[in-house]
Amino acid sequence: MELTEQDIKQLLQESLVLAQAEPDKGDSTQKRNQNRSRSWVSILAAQLKAQYSTNSDIRVFSKYDKANRKDFGLNELLYDIVVCRVDEVASSTHKKKLYYIKDTIWQVESEFAHDSRQALIDFNKLVLGSAQNKLFIGSQVRKGKEDLLLNVLKPAARVCTGHVYVALIPHPAKWKDINGSVKLWSMKAN
């Protein structure tokens, strides 16, 4: 099932609304922002899981979801969120069912630091993968400054395989002050 750019934006917007509605946890601003960021990843992963729920061969991996631990022995695979198609093979000795990654549909990385260097470091992870779709989510910058950040990410986006998307959402520190909206870009040829 292929998601359109509009589908992606809507999924991100719904995830943001849900994350903003989560109760705050943490004694300091830093801890609250970390927890908001964690909620964001968990909610987005859950939204992607719901999107692909009719496909039993598709799995969504994320740090905070233990659903894949029994079959794979871990929660996450290299990225904040990975959506992949799996298949099975029998183990060599006892013919126990083992699972392997057959195809990667989505690789998702979030980085909320207000720093283009940190954004590029996390974006570089997407270059390494083979997913059909790659999504980087960062913090919104001041109005009119988006092009500066996008220009930093563009060279890496150009060498990615698959469809490449960049979404900017409000920084978690601002979630209780504003009703944020998602801004989404996709890499087109050239």
Side-chain angles (χ1 to χ4, degrees):
M1 176 173 94
E2 188 76 21
L3 297 178
T4 67
E5 211 167 311
Q6 184 178 345
D7 294 334
I8 297 163
K9 188 171 183 179
Q10 181 177 344
L11 186 129
L12 291 169
Q13 188 65 53
E14 289 171 5
S15 297
L16 178 60
V17 168
L18 291 169
Q20 285 181 298
E22 285 288 299
D24 273 334
K25 299 174 189 156
D27 298 341
S28 67
T29 301
Q30 180 180 3
K31 193 65 176 165
R32 276 190 299 278
N33 289 343
Q34 286 174 341
N35 288 328
R36 289 175 183 177
S37 180
R38 179 179 295 164
S39 290
W40 163 255
V41 171
S42 295
I43 289 167
L44 180 56
Q47 293 284 89
L48 284 164
K49 190 184 277 191
Q51 191 73 39
Y52 291 99
S53 64
T54 59
N55 301 32
S56 62
D57 65 332
I58 293 180
R59 301 282 186 102
V60 178
F61 291 82
S62 71
K63 186 175 187 176
Y64 311 109
D65 182 354
K66 296 179 183 176
N68 295 302
R69 184 165 280 286
K70 179 182 175 218
D71 294 335
F72 288 88
L74 43 75
N75 295 353
E76 66 179 334
L77 289 172
L78 306 176
Y79 304 94
D80 290 339
I81 302 170
V82 174
V83 178
C84 54
R85 193 174 316 282
V86 301
D87 207 345
E88 57 187 58
V89 63
S91 66
S92 60
T93 307
H94 301 291
K95 304 302 180 203
K96 181 180 176 185
K97 189 187 309 186
L98 302 175
Y99 292 91
Y100 67 94
I101 306 301
K102 184 176 176 180
D103 185 27
T104 311
I105 301 166
W106 283 95
Q107 292 163 252
V108 181
E109 274 297 312
S110 288
E111 175 54 60
F112 292 121
H114 289 293
D115 176 347
S116 60
R117 181 177 187 274
Q118 288 303 122
L120 185 58
I121 287 170
D122 271 32
F123 193 95
N124 280 332
K125 295 176 188 177
L126 298 178
V127 177
L128 298 171
S130 61
Q132 299 165 25
N133 301 286
K134 296 166 182 182
L135 172 61
F136 175 79
I137 303 153
S139 290
Q140 287 178 353
V141 293
R142 280 184 298 226
K143 196 170 189 162
K145 301 288 185 182
E146 289 101 353
D147 285 346
L148 295 174
L149 176 59
L150 294 173
N151 286 335
V152 170
L153 302 177
K154 199 178 294 184
R158 283 191 177 125
V159 297
C160 280
T161 57
H163 302 101
V164 181
Y165 303 91
V166 173
L168 299 180
I169 67 173
H171 188 279
K174 298 180 180 180
W175 285 5
K176 299 301 177 187
D177 301 331
I178 60 171
N179 290 328
S181 64
V182 173
K183 296 182 180 184
L184 181 68
W185 292 265
S186 64
M187 185 70 187
K188 304 294 184 199
N190 299 319

